[in-house]
Amino acid sequence: VFPFEYLPAEEVMLIKKREHFFSLDKHEEKHPVVFTIQIWDNDIFHPDDFLGVLDLDLHCMPKASKFAKFTTLDDLIDNEKGLPVQTISLFNQKNVKGWWPCYVDYDPSIPRELTGKIEMELEILTSEDAEAKPAGKAREEPNENPHLKEPDRPATSFSWFSSPLKSLRYIIWQNYKWYILGTLFILLIVIFIILLLYSIPGALSQSMVSG
């Protein structure tokens, strides 16, 4: 899914790109193998807001937690408490799965804030193994290695202004159902009484004329 050229002797990845549009030869750059994850919300009418980030050096990354409730900022290698952290190398282990913390760090003088936790499975393959185990980005085909199921989101995880009918059903109706039914019942009784009072004089007049 994310191919890159790796130099094992130097433990860096090699990026080749043209410096300019009209350049004939590609320029080579060497960078640390750092995997960066950013989390953004999905606004419809406003710019997406940045929620958190996580940088993982694949040569020396913190070991993942098995459960989200045990995942904290202390799991990071550069945690602010200076606590020792167990690290692993994805190049040696080949496959890792678990939970990692995400944070915002706008100002180095302000302590980091835990803004989320992300569950991932990371696997590193040679080009030959990658061809034998194809995988699409996100849930694109081929959705294999591993197969990603549709997210199990609650029924109320939607924007009220983009789904007004769902808002009426899951927010208003579920929370105020008995108030709405009670109000409708009282309105029916009031309407019945009004119609009854309105029809009584006519009925009395007709009975007197008939009598």
Side-chain angles (χ1 to χ4, degrees):
V1 180
F2 301 105
F4 63 93
E5 187 173 350
Y6 178 64
L7 302 178
E10 302 180 42
E11 296 186 345
V12 295
M13 62 179 175
L14 183 64
I15 299 177
K16 298 179 181 179
K17 61 181 181 180
R18 290 183 173 87
E19 294 185 354
H20 306 287
F21 180 77
F22 297 102
S23 298
L24 298 178
D25 298 327
K26 291 184 177 181
H27 175 69
E28 294 185 353
E29 295 180 358
K30 298 178 181 179
H31 295 274
V33 190
V34 177
F35 184 53
T36 299
I37 302 98
Q38 291 185 347
I39 302 176
W40 298 74
D41 71 349
N42 186 17
D43 285 338
I44 296 179
F45 299 108
H46 301 282
D48 295 345
D49 295 324
F50 175 70
L51 301 179
V53 66
L54 173 65
D55 293 321
L56 295 176
D57 185 342
L58 302 187
H59 278 291
C60 184
M61 56 187 291
K63 187 176 181 180
S65 299
K66 292 184 178 180
F67 303 99
K69 61 181 179 180
F70 297 137
T71 305
T72 66
L73 291 177
D74 294 338
D75 297 336
L76 299 176
I77 296 177
D78 56 345
N79 64 81
E80 296 175 345
K81 297 181 181 179
L83 300 174
V85 176
Q86 185 177 358
T87 61
I88 59 173
S89 172
L90 183 60
F91 291 92
N92 295 332
Q93 194 158 326
K94 303 302 182 184
N95 182 282
V96 294
K97 182 179 181 180
W99 291 87
W100 287 270
C102 295
Y103 59 89
V104 291
D105 191 9
Y106 297 116
D107 189 347
S109 62
I110 301 176
R112 288 175 176 171
E113 178 184 358
L114 179 66
T115 55
K117 301 174 184 181
I118 184 171
E119 184 184 22
M120 297 187 298
E121 180 177 1
L122 302 177
E123 184 177 14
I124 194 164
L125 302 170
T126 63
S127 58
E128 294 80 8
D129 293 337
E131 292 179 359
K133 298 175 63 177
K137 291 185 178 180
R139 293 176 180 82
E140 297 177 356
E141 295 297 334
N143 186 5
E144 299 294 340
N145 303 309
H147 176 76
L148 299 179
K149 299 180 180 179
E150 292 296 327
D152 185 16
R153 296 190 179 99
T156 54
S157 62
F158 55 86
S159 301
W160 65 269
F161 45 82
S162 62
S163 303
L165 295 180
K166 285 187 177 181
S167 301
L168 291 174
R169 177 183 177 185
Y170 291 106
I171 299 178
I172 299 177
W173 178 252
Q174 287 189 355
N175 295 328
Y176 303 101
K177 175 173 61 178
W178 297 113
Y179 295 100
I180 295 173
L181 292 176
T183 301
L184 291 176
F185 180 73
I186 294 173
L187 286 175
L188 290 175
I189 294 177
V190 171
I191 292 173
F192 176 77
I193 294 174
I194 293 175
L195 293 176
L196 182 64
L197 294 176
Y198 178 79
S199 61
I200 285 177
L204 290 175
S205 300
Q206 186 176 2
S207 63
M208 291 174 64
V209 172
S210 300

